[in-house]
Amino acid sequence: MFKNMPQKKRTAFIQGFLEFIKLQIAGNVPVWGTLGLFALLDQVFYANNYWALLVSTVAAYTLFYFITDLWVFSRTRKSRNKTTEVWRFIVFTSFSALLIFNINWFLNQYFGISLYIAQFISAGLSIFWTFPGYKFWVFSSVKNHRKPKTKKFNR
């Protein structure tokens, strides 16, 4: 597979694959962070399930931003616009977290699945939209959209 591939494409493929693997590892932060903090708020502080899940989700995703920015997509960090990136992260992650939150709540309320188990199910489902969203929209490099300069020929 790699023998006939040009060096530049091979390098890009390997870097993309490594970013995917790193994001899967970093993706444990929202899952385990939410689960751990939810368990703490639920079992130790006896917090309302809704607020415990909401607070733990927001806290875990905040930590996830820093890990994703500084480690997963660090290669393109210098070429990204920080303000745009932060807003995109907030929008995409809010959408993602809201979707995950609702999947968890739906599984709990309509199927009686424990919120602990529901978080594993929603984490598995989120793999399908998180990598493309973070790679190609949130943490994408700034692209120059000017028309390429063409040489003018005198006739």
Side-chain angles (χ1 to χ4, degrees), residues 37-49:
L37 188 53
F38 174 77
L40 178 74
L41 294 172
D42 181 40
Q43 298 296 317
V44 175
F45 294 104
Y46 305 106
N48 173 287
N49 278 346

Side-chain angles (χ1 to χ4, degrees), residues 28-68:
N28 285 300
V29 171
V31 175
W32 291 105
T34 301
L35 188 62
L37 188 53
F38 174 77
L40 178 74
L41 294 172
D42 181 40
Q43 298 296 317
V44 175
F45 294 104
Y46 305 106
N48 173 287
N49 278 346
Y50 178 85
W51 290 108
L53 185 59
L54 184 64
V55 168
S56 59
T57 300
V58 170
Y61 274 96
T62 302
L63 179 59
F64 177 64
Y65 169 77
F66 291 108
I67 292 171
T68 307

Side-chain angles (χ1 to χ4, degrees), residues 6-154:
Q7 181 64 32
K8 193 173 185 179
K9 275 191 169 187
R10 186 179 324 150
T11 302
F13 176 81
I14 291 170
Q15 287 174 339
F17 180 73
L18 291 175
E19 286 175 343
F20 176 77
I21 296 301
K22 289 193 292 187
L23 187 62
Q24 300 316 303
I25 294 168
N28 285 300
V29 171
V31 175
W32 291 105
T34 301
L35 188 62
L37 188 53
F38 174 77
L40 178 74
L41 294 172
D42 181 40
Q43 298 296 317
V44 175
F45 294 104
Y46 305 106
N48 173 287
N49 278 346
Y50 178 85
W51 290 108
L53 185 59
L54 184 64
V55 168
S56 59
T57 300
V58 170
Y61 274 96
T62 302
L63 179 59
F64 177 64
Y65 169 77
F66 291 108
I67 292 171
T68 307
D69 178 44
L70 297 171
W71 182 55
V72 177
F73 298 111
S74 61
R75 185 172 51 89
T76 59
R77 192 162 198 265
K78 290 180 182 175
S79 64
R80 297 189 314 243
N81 180 322
K82 278 293 173 207
T83 305
T84 302
E85 177 183 296
V86 168
W87 281 110
R88 285 180 177 181
F89 183 85
I90 290 169
V91 169
F92 182 78
T93 304
S94 296
F95 169 76
S96 183
L98 184 63
L99 185 58
I100 290 169
F101 180 88
N102 282 308
I103 289 169
N104 290 335
W105 199 250
F106 179 82
L107 290 171
N108 177 260
Q109 296 298 306
Y110 292 99
F111 294 106
I113 297 173
S114 160
L115 283 171
Y116 294 99
I117 301 301
Q119 290 181 57
F120 285 106
I121 295 168
S122 63
L125 293 172
S126 72
I127 290 171
F128 294 106
W129 69 82
T130 54
F131 182 74
Y134 287 123
K135 169 80 174 163
F136 299 113
W137 190 59
V138 176
F139 294 103
S140 65
S141 299
V142 175
K143 293 180 177 76
N144 189 348
H145 295 289
R146 292 184 309 177
K147 288 184 179 179
K149 292 182 180 180
T150 57
K151 292 182 181 180
K152 294 183 180 181
F153 296 101
N154 292 331

